[in-house]
Amino acid sequence: MPKGAYTTTRTFNSGSHIFLWDFHLNRVTQSLLLLAEAHPELFPNLPPSLLTDLLSTIYEAQGEEVRHEEGQENETQMRDTRRARNMVAGLQKEIRDSVLVAVRAMVECDWWRREAEGEQKEEQQQQQQQVEVCLMILLCGQGAAGGAVSGEPAASGAVTCEPAASAGTAGTAIATPLLQGVEVYVHASTVRTTPLASLALPPPICAAVMGPGRHTPLAKFSSWPLVRRALETAKPAEARDVILSTDGNALLEGITTNLFIVARTEPASDTSHGPPWRGYELQTASLESGILPGSIRQAIIDACGERGIPIRIQAPQWSERATWVEAFVTNALSIVQPVSSMLMPATWPSDIGYDSWQSVDKWLTWQAPTLEENYGSRSTFLLEHVIGHMTFRSAELQDLLTTDD
């Protein structure tokens, strides 16, 4: 995969809506600008002098306060701010248009129609599954992706949309003058998933704690899938996910997920009666600790604020695992995935690196207390709230088609 900024999401309701569209649009744009700041060689045509203003525009779109130095809001500053807003709007319009072309190409192809309407209808009904579109949006420097990609759906049901100069093709190169050299790619593929209305917690998995954490945590960098491969290869056979840690105690996130822990704050005997969250709190790592700001993570944090659920935005500590009663990881594809056990190296490597795990042969185990009364009820409660949150804040494709930027 070429180096650049990316995000992944999917549709629901049989391809008619896109999960948390505004969140993913702003995140991939922010990732692009953060990578351009950290690795200017990837985007040589993005002027460094405007990156601060461009990032401020994204932070404002996310509702974050942007402070200016005293006396800085002069005419020049205001002109640069307007210029940055126009540039971001132009970039995001190109992203939106490319995504719409990709989804149209997928849902209008014969393969999709056979999957969604006929050939495997009986089997999918038995499994209560729907066919949806999984989307990966990639922003990279001009020519970084090479050439050989096609705008036609393949036999497997995947389509890669390449930059092109003509209107109506699958993606276009950025036309805004100061963003020349940034290209938008969209890859669409199919995924079978349970409809939201009948979504339940999937069977729990085992996860292994390894590390270190991401080098560019606030930006989704397309080189990460290659980096994480070393961890996936070296993890114990029973582990389905990897939880990242830098010191062997503070747990940050999964390699494609965010991590949450439900922990007791009072003795178990004091929490046997009363509201389900009495004597418990939810824990997840802060952005400052070096994690990716996941869309479902934010939805769960919002749920806690709305429902009065105690939450500690701090990395869960392995040394406090005796208080853990539930664990789960989240992302846009699985939504909420329970974790029933975690493996930790008996001795944390002194020279930690992504390729230093092959020699680990002894692991400690945390096992979820499955005999606890109402085990899993708190994860289920959050899943139900997140489904409502995602449905409300997701975009209908028809609305995107009629949006005028």
Side-chain angles (χ1 to χ4, degrees):
M1 184 189 298
K3 292 183 177 180
Y6 79 103
T7 191
T8 55
T9 185
R10 69 176 176 92
T11 65
F12 66 100
N13 286 348
S14 298
S16 65
H17 292 70
I18 300 181
F19 274 146
L20 301 172
W21 171 246
D22 288 340
F23 178 95
H24 287 283
L25 185 61
N26 285 325
R27 183 170 71 176
V28 74
T29 309
Q30 176 181 321
S31 293
L32 165 70
L33 300 175
L34 289 172
L35 286 179
E37 195 172 50
H39 300 280
E41 71 279 3
L42 297 179
F43 302 95
N45 293 316
L46 275 178
S49 60
L50 277 180
L51 284 177
T52 299
D53 290 327
L54 290 167
L55 281 167
S56 295
T57 298
I58 294 298
Y59 295 145
E60 288 173 352
Q62 295 171 338
E64 300 180 24
E65 181 180 2
V66 179
R67 298 179 179 177
H68 300 282
E69 298 293 334
E70 185 176 354
Q72 191 180 27
E73 276 293 298
N74 53 34
E75 185 175 344
T76 300
Q77 177 65 28
M78 292 173 65
R79 184 178 65 247
D80 289 344
T81 299
R82 287 194 299 270
R83 189 187 200 185
R85 287 174 179 166
N86 289 336
M87 290 169 64
V88 168
L91 172 62
Q92 294 191 338
K93 183 180 185 302
E94 297 290 349
I95 296 171
R96 189 197 72 200
D97 291 348
S98 296
V99 166
L100 290 174
V101 170
V103 174
R104 277 173 167 169
M106 179 61 69
V107 301
E108 292 176 1
C109 73
D110 291 339
W111 191 93
W112 171 275
R113 283 195 289 270
R114 288 197 303 271
E115 286 288 289
E117 297 174 5
E119 207 167 80
Q120 300 180 9
K121 186 176 181 180
E122 182 178 350
E123 177 185 349
Q124 289 173 28
Q125 284 180 341
Q126 291 175 354
Q127 298 175 352
Q128 292 187 328
Q129 290 189 329
Q130 289 179 335
V131 180
E132 301 292 350
V133 180
C134 181
L135 295 163
M136 187 189 74
I137 303 164
L138 171 67
L139 309 181
C140 59
Q142 190 170 27
V149 288
S150 169
E152 293 299 321
S156 61
V159 55
T160 299
C161 299
E162 66 174 336
S166 59
T169 56
T172 57
I174 300 304
T176 308
L178 287 175
L179 287 178
Q180 284 181 352
V182 177
E183 295 178 344
V184 179
Y185 288 78
V186 178
H187 182 268
S189 59
T190 55
V191 60
R192 293 189 182 91
T193 184
T194 304
L196 290 185
S198 56
L199 193 64
L201 290 178
I205 63 170
C206 172
V209 181
M210 301 165 74
R214 298 173 187 258
H215 294 316
T216 54
L218 291 179
K220 290 202 76 169
F221 194 5
S222 61
S223 65
W224 174 243
L226 296 177
V227 172
R228 77 182 191 225
R229 191 172 299 168
L231 298 177
E232 293 174 320
T233 301
K235 66 180 174 56
E238 62 268 38
R240 288 272 307 280
D241 197 2
V242 172
I243 304 300
L244 300 176
S245 178
T246 300
D247 60 5
N249 188 41
L251 307 187
L252 303 176
E253 61 180 341
I255 53 176
T256 62
T257 58
N258 288 112
L259 172 68
F260 288 86
I261 297 291
V262 179
R264 284 196 309 269
T265 56
E266 300 176 12
S269 59
D270 297 336
T271 60
S272 56
H273 302 286
W277 288 94
R278 176 187 171 186
Y280 295 90
E281 69 177 7
L282 197 62
Q283 301 175 1
T284 191
S286 67
L287 298 183
E288 290 76 16
S289 65
I291 67 165
L292 188 73
S295 57
I296 307 302
R297 172 186 179 274
Q298 187 59 52
I300 288 179
I301 292 173
D302 292 344
C304 291
E306 294 169 8
R307 301 300 181 95
I309 297 170
I311 183 168
R312 177 157 44 124
I313 310 295
Q314 180 179 329
Q317 305 294 301
W318 176 259
S319 58
E320 299 175 1
R321 62 191 181 279
T323 65
W324 299 355
V325 297
E326 293 182 39
F328 58 91
V329 291
T330 63
N331 63 19
L333 295 181
S334 61
I335 314 300
V336 174
Q337 169 65 65
V339 175
S340 59
S341 61
M342 282 191 217
L343 304 176
M344 170 72 76
T347 302
W348 191 255
S350 56
D351 183 20
I352 186 172
Y354 295 120
D355 57 353
S356 61
W357 299 96
Q358 298 286 355
S359 60
V360 176
D361 56 4
K362 187 176 181 181
W363 300 79
L364 305 177
T365 303
W366 169 79
Q367 189 73 38
T370 54
L371 298 180
E372 179 172 322
E373 186 178 2
N374 296 324
Y375 176 78
S377 61
R378 299 167 189 87
S379 302
T380 300
F381 175 85
L382 289 167
L383 173 63
E384 293 171 351
H385 182 92
V386 166
I387 289 172
H389 175 96
M390 292 169 65
T391 303
F392 179 73
R393 298 195 179 185
S394 296
E396 187 172 358
L397 284 175
Q398 187 60 39
D399 291 341
L400 293 180
L401 285 169
T402 57
T403 299
D404 183 12
D405 291 327

